[in-house]
Amino acid sequence: MNSSILIIGATLALAFYLGIRARKGQEMKLEQWAVAERNFGAFIMFVLMAGEMFSTFVFLGASGAAYRMGGPTIYIFCALTYIIPFWILPPIWRYAKKHNLLTQSDFFAKKYQSKSLGLLVAVIGVISMIPYIVLQLKGFQIIVSEASYGMISPTIAVWIGMIAVTIFVYVSGIHGSASAAVLKDILMLVVILFLGIYLPLHYFGGIQPMFETLEATKPGFLLLQDEGLSISWYISLCLIIALGQYMWPHCFGASLSSQNESALRKNAAILPLYQIVLVFILFIGFTAVLQIPNLQGANADLALFKIAKEALPPWFVGVVGAAGLLAALVPCSMLILTAATILSKNIYKAVRPNTSNEQIAKLTRIFVPIVSFVSLFFTFFGGNTMLALLTMAYSFVLQLFPPLVFSLMKKNPVSKAGASAGMVVGVALVAYLTLTEATMATLFPSAPSFIQDLDIGIVAITINAVIMLTVSVFTNKVQVSIQEADRDLEEQKMSS
Amino acid sequence: MKKLVVLLSIIPAIGSLTVINRVEPYILGLPFIVFWAAAWLILTSVCLYISSVIYEREGENE
């Protein structure tokens, strides 16, 4: 037991050391702190982007989903999620570099020539990020408590972890996250590949025998169903995830720290290969279904730890816990950094336009501990509100997709009034649908099942887009950005 | 070349959204439904990598 605690503690200490050291005597201006002066090469970009996506979800949620749902869990590694960023990130990066933009909110404000639109995007972003941080922290508590065999108090652990993250984000900014992400990725890869291969081998003599036993014990468990977890459910969910993923302010923001467009494209090309790790997560969840078949409800999320503890010695459970701990803390560090930057640069500055840039830079770092403490507060006292907010958060950020995509067009047909109206209606609709627990089936009781199984996010984003385009027909387009586009064209001709 | 790049995105997009909903045959130890989804991860990676190389070449030509 003590060996696992020792390993978890040592890993946290190492991550903290790497995070602090990442500063390397650089002068921490806001642009260096938040986006590393757009100087990250392909390797670090890869680790950073993968670092955000492989969060506690991989350790708890994904293995839990495999345990509960079976085969339909393949939605978690749908490759479409990486084709979208291949197309949208390079033009976003180019525009952000040209205009010296640091956040998603900056981008919208500049594209639509509207500070209030930027403020709207900033508020949607922060409201979505806080429950996401809370989810990581709740996962962190479960992981530490499981991996230490209940010997470390989850409350004390989450305080220590959060203080460590707060300090290295404060000191090193995005450099700290990137360094800790390298350690996290190595640990996660080792742990998941090992568990995914060893567990089926140990219990069933191989991966195929494991699947054959599963198919014999629970016929149909590996397939999509005719109703419910059906093919239309699968396609709509994959679409929603693919469109929404890079609308998260921290994913959007991290992509701005790239050195060039090519690193972003290469990154989008390599990330699907990395997702193969998630296939191994399925093996772990499926082995657990057969070996410990009685985990009910939320306990299904413990599948990975329960099976690891049954099959492996405590020191290895410690390594699993250490990987899980970093899987929570590294995304947290990116989220806190992004939330703090948005709070000072896009919300505080919007309310008090006279604040100088030096003051904003100072303020951003003051917001780091504030965001951390607010997240800790909601982790302890948030209860069900946080759960409802998290369900909404994914659909909230998705509402930013329509105005973003149109803003990348040479002649954007969307006006700032249209973009705002669409987003406001989309967000309100998501809140209403979530709170009333509506699904496509309750909205359209007589529709055929392939429509009833669609993800509810499809409704909100469609209505958002329709309102956005309709309002835009009746309001003024963003003239400035069109002139700008023409000027860009001329510049391109001049330089070539 | 632009057309090729677009095609290299459309093919994996359609492929990754397609489901072959069957367990048999097992390939590389995986039920077919899982193998199909996993295979598209690799194919998507290959397609996007070729696209990014094409982009870089065109950048050099300008």
Side-chain angles (χ1 to χ4, degrees):
Chain A
M1 314 282 142
N2 289 330
S3 57
S4 78
I5 297 176
L6 213 68
I7 290 172
I8 295 173
T11 308
L12 180 63
L14 181 60
F16 181 68
Y17 168 73
L18 289 174
I20 296 286
R21 206 192 58 143
R23 184 188 164 97
K24 276 186 252 164
Q26 273 143 352
E27 199 193 338
M28 279 289 162
K29 286 185 207 147
L30 188 56
E31 187 156 39
Q32 180 66 264
W33 187 82
V35 296
E37 296 200 317
R38 289 174 236 282
N39 210 10
F40 279 157
F43 173 72
I44 285 293
M45 278 313 290
F46 174 73
V47 174
L48 203 59
M49 297 289 224
E52 287 162 357
M53 271 174 227
F54 283 174
S55 61
T56 49
F57 173 78
V58 172
F59 272 82
L60 304 171
S63 54
Y67 188 94
R68 264 189 302 263
M69 291 201 270
T73 314
I74 53 170
Y75 83 86
I76 61 175
F77 49 81
C78 180
L80 186 68
T81 314
Y82 305 95
I83 301 174
I84 309 274
F86 183 88
W87 286 100
I88 65 170
L89 291 186
I92 291 174
W93 179 88
R94 205 179 309 144
Y95 190 80
K97 182 179 165 73
K98 190 174 160 206
H99 298 282
N100 219 6
L101 311 175
L102 299 184
T103 67
Q104 185 184 42
S105 164
D106 288 346
F107 182 87
F108 277 86
K110 186 79 190 168
K111 272 281 186 188
Y112 285 96
Q113 295 292 316
S114 162
K115 290 227 166 73
S116 45
L117 186 75
L119 183 61
L120 176 66
V121 170
V123 171
I124 295 176
V126 171
I127 289 178
S128 307
M129 278 191 286
I130 298 285
Y132 197 88
I133 302 174
V134 172
L135 174 81
Q136 299 305 321
L137 296 182
K138 283 196 187 277
F140 177 91
Q141 289 181 306
I142 296 171
I143 289 169
V144 170
S145 147
E146 282 291 319
S148 69
Y149 296 80
M151 284 171 66
I152 303 179
S153 143
T155 311
I156 295 175
V158 80
W159 270 101
I160 297 175
M162 207 52 174
I163 289 170
V165 168
T166 308
I167 293 175
F168 85 60
V169 170
Y170 186 92
V171 172
S172 309
I174 198 166
H175 293 275
S177 301
S179 293
V182 177
L183 178 64
K184 164 190 164 251
D185 273 18
I186 295 170
L187 262 180
M188 270 184 100
L189 266 180
V190 170
V191 163
I192 294 171
L193 293 183
F194 176 77
L195 286 179
I197 295 167
Y198 176 76
L199 291 176
L201 203 67
H202 177 67
Y203 287 110
F204 306 99
I207 288 163
Q208 184 163 347
M210 182 270 288
F211 275 115
E212 281 163 352
T213 317
L214 190 61
E215 176 66 8
T217 333
K218 301 180 108 184
F221 187 65
L222 287 168
L223 295 176
L224 287 167
Q225 297 151 11
D226 292 335
E227 282 179 22
L229 303 176
S230 63
I231 291 182
S232 70
W233 165 86
Y234 172 79
I235 293 176
S236 67
L237 190 58
C238 288
L239 274 172
I240 292 295
I241 294 173
L243 301 183
Q245 182 68 54
Y246 282 87
M247 296 303 112
W248 279 100
H250 60 293
C251 292
F252 190 104
S255 64
L256 302 185
S257 57
S258 178
Q259 213 168 39
N260 50 40
E261 294 170 38
S262 163
L264 286 171
R265 286 200 191 92
K266 291 245 164 68
N267 190 44
I270 302 167
L271 275 172
L273 273 188
Y274 198 47
Q275 301 296 305
I276 290 175
V277 176
L278 292 175
V279 182
F280 288 82
I281 287 280
L282 290 195
F283 303 164
I284 300 168
F286 291 160
T287 307
V289 172
L290 292 164
Q291 284 302 312
I292 4 173
N294 48 8
L295 298 175
Q296 300 295 328
N299 276 338
D301 288 346
L302 301 179
L304 185 145
F305 277 98
K306 295 283 185 215
I307 188 90
K309 279 156 97 169
E310 203 184 89
L312 295 155
W315 72 265
F316 194 83
V317 175
V319 178
V320 178
L325 168 139
L326 293 181
L329 294 184
V330 173
C332 261
S333 68
M334 281 304 299
L335 284 153
I336 293 170
L337 177 126
T338 312
T341 316
I342 291 177
L343 278 167
S344 71
K345 200 165 178 303
N346 302 114
I347 296 182
Y348 187 87
K349 177 124 185 168
V351 181
R352 296 201 164 169
N354 294 331
T355 322
S356 75
N357 284 342
E358 288 76 35
Q359 281 170 311
I360 290 294
K362 265 189 208 142
L363 202 61
T364 306
R365 288 163 92 170
I366 294 171
F367 271 119
V368 170
I370 295 177
V371 173
S372 302
F373 286 124
V374 168
S375 309
L376 277 174
F377 176 83
F378 282 121
T379 307
F380 298 135
F381 306 110
N384 291 332
T385 335
M386 273 299 121
L387 214 66
L389 256 179
L390 186 71
T391 327
M392 288 184 216
Y394 284 93
S395 311
F396 278 169
V397 292
L398 179 65
Q399 304 309 317
L400 307 180
F401 188 80
L404 177 95
V405 153
F406 279 100
S407 82
L408 298 178
M409 292 168 67
K410 282 232 168 69
K411 292 210 166 170
N412 184 2
V414 174
S415 68
K416 64 180 174 193
S420 313
M423 282 192 285
V424 168
V425 172
V427 165
L429 199 63
V430 167
Y432 174 77
L433 292 174
T434 315
L435 293 175
T436 56
E437 292 179 3
T439 62
M440 290 300 276
T442 61
L443 289 180
F444 306 101
S446 55
S449 71
F450 76 91
I451 291 184
Q452 293 195 346
D453 295 338
L454 290 176
D455 191 280
I456 194 81
I458 294 274
V459 177
I461 196 174
T462 310
I463 293 179
N464 169 348
V466 169
I467 289 183
M468 178 182 81
L469 292 170
T470 317
V471 172
S472 298
V473 171
F474 298 105
T475 46
N476 289 327
K477 303 293 175 294
V478 188
Q479 293 299 336
V480 189
S481 73
I482 293 172
Q483 285 164 5
E484 205 171 70
D486 291 342
R487 206 170 56 221
D488 285 352
L489 270 181
E490 277 165 27
E491 275 174 17
Q492 274 175 12
K493 276 177 202 154
M494 300 267 279
S495 64
S496 60
Chain B
M1 281 315 235
K2 190 85 185 169
K3 272 186 193 154
L4 179 64
V5 170
V6 171
L7 199 67
L8 283 174
S9 285
I10 290 175
I11 294 169
I14 294 171
S16 61
L17 285 177
T18 315
V19 185
I20 310 291
N21 206 17
R22 50 186 301 165
V23 173
E24 305 273 342
Y26 283 87
I27 299 182
L28 301 172
L30 302 174
F32 199 81
I33 177 173
V34 178
F35 167 78
W36 177 263
W40 278 107
L41 288 174
I42 297 169
L43 292 173
T44 303
S45 196
V46 171
C47 289
L48 293 184
Y49 200 83
I50 297 172
S51 294
S52 63
V53 170
I54 293 175
Y55 262 108
E56 251 173 48
R57 288 247 175 96
E58 299 219 322
E60 281 165 20
N61 290 343
E62 267 175 26

